[in-house]
Amino acid sequence: MPGDEIEVPKELREFMLEGAEETFLGQKNGANKQYRYGNLHIREYDEKFLVHTDKIDPRKDPVGHLIYDAPEILIGLACAIFGGSQITKKLNKNSKKKSITAGLLSSIISGYLGYTATKKIKKHVE
């Protein structure tokens, strides 16, 4: 079932699937390396491997992966764009420099809030 992670201690078994590719796609969550093998996402830590399946392989369908497996990233980006653009529009009349600074700051805050809220909702729903 997507979202469930299996922990494999390295002391129990040092493993890596033949054909698994090291990748930068996905959140590392502090892992030393991460690999993909089809829909499997494998994170390697010093003491263990964490393995879970994604609904969609991001190497084949990055947009589908974001929609089904990582919607918090899309929502965070949408919140950043919307929040930043709204503040920039409102302050653009006063000072160009202030509006750009405030827009950038509100983008970061809005994006972070959207991302973390969606991540918590997703965790609660799963």
Side-chain angles (χ1 to χ4, degrees):
M1 179 163 188
D4 294 338
E5 285 198 311
I6 298 169
E7 183 175 318
V8 180
K10 282 188 173 179
E11 64 189 31
L12 178 67
R13 178 172 180 165
E14 177 81 32
F15 87 102
M16 187 49 60
L17 296 171
E18 192 173 312
E21 299 173 351
E22 189 172 352
T23 183
F24 67 92
L25 296 172
Q27 295 175 322
K28 283 182 82 172
N29 295 344
N32 299 329
K33 295 180 181 178
Q34 57 183 344
Y35 302 89
R36 291 212 175 260
Y37 181 79
N39 286 8
L40 279 182
H41 185 189
I42 306 162
R43 290 187 184 100
E44 181 180 0
Y45 297 86
D46 290 335
E47 306 289 324
K48 65 185 175 187
F49 292 97
L50 287 180
V51 183
H52 70 267
T53 57
D54 289 325
K55 292 176 185 170
I56 297 177
D57 184 346
R59 296 170 299 172
K60 294 183 179 172
D61 184 4
V63 175
H65 178 72
L66 286 173
I67 291 169
Y68 292 103
D69 292 311
E72 64 275 10
I73 293 173
L74 285 179
I75 291 174
L77 287 171
C79 288
I81 292 166
F82 181 75
S85 66
Q86 292 303 306
I87 295 295
T88 303
K89 282 180 192 175
K90 289 183 183 192
L91 295 178
N92 201 17
K93 299 168 190 156
N94 301 336
S95 165
K96 189 82 166 170
K97 192 174 183 179
K98 278 185 183 179
S99 70
I100 290 173
T101 304
L104 181 60
L105 186 59
S106 67
S107 286
I108 292 168
I109 293 168
S110 299
Y112 178 75
L113 290 174
Y115 172 83
T116 54
T118 307
K119 190 100 169 152
K120 286 181 182 184
I121 292 167
K122 181 180 169 188
K123 195 172 193 174
H124 181 72
V125 169
E126 291 176 344

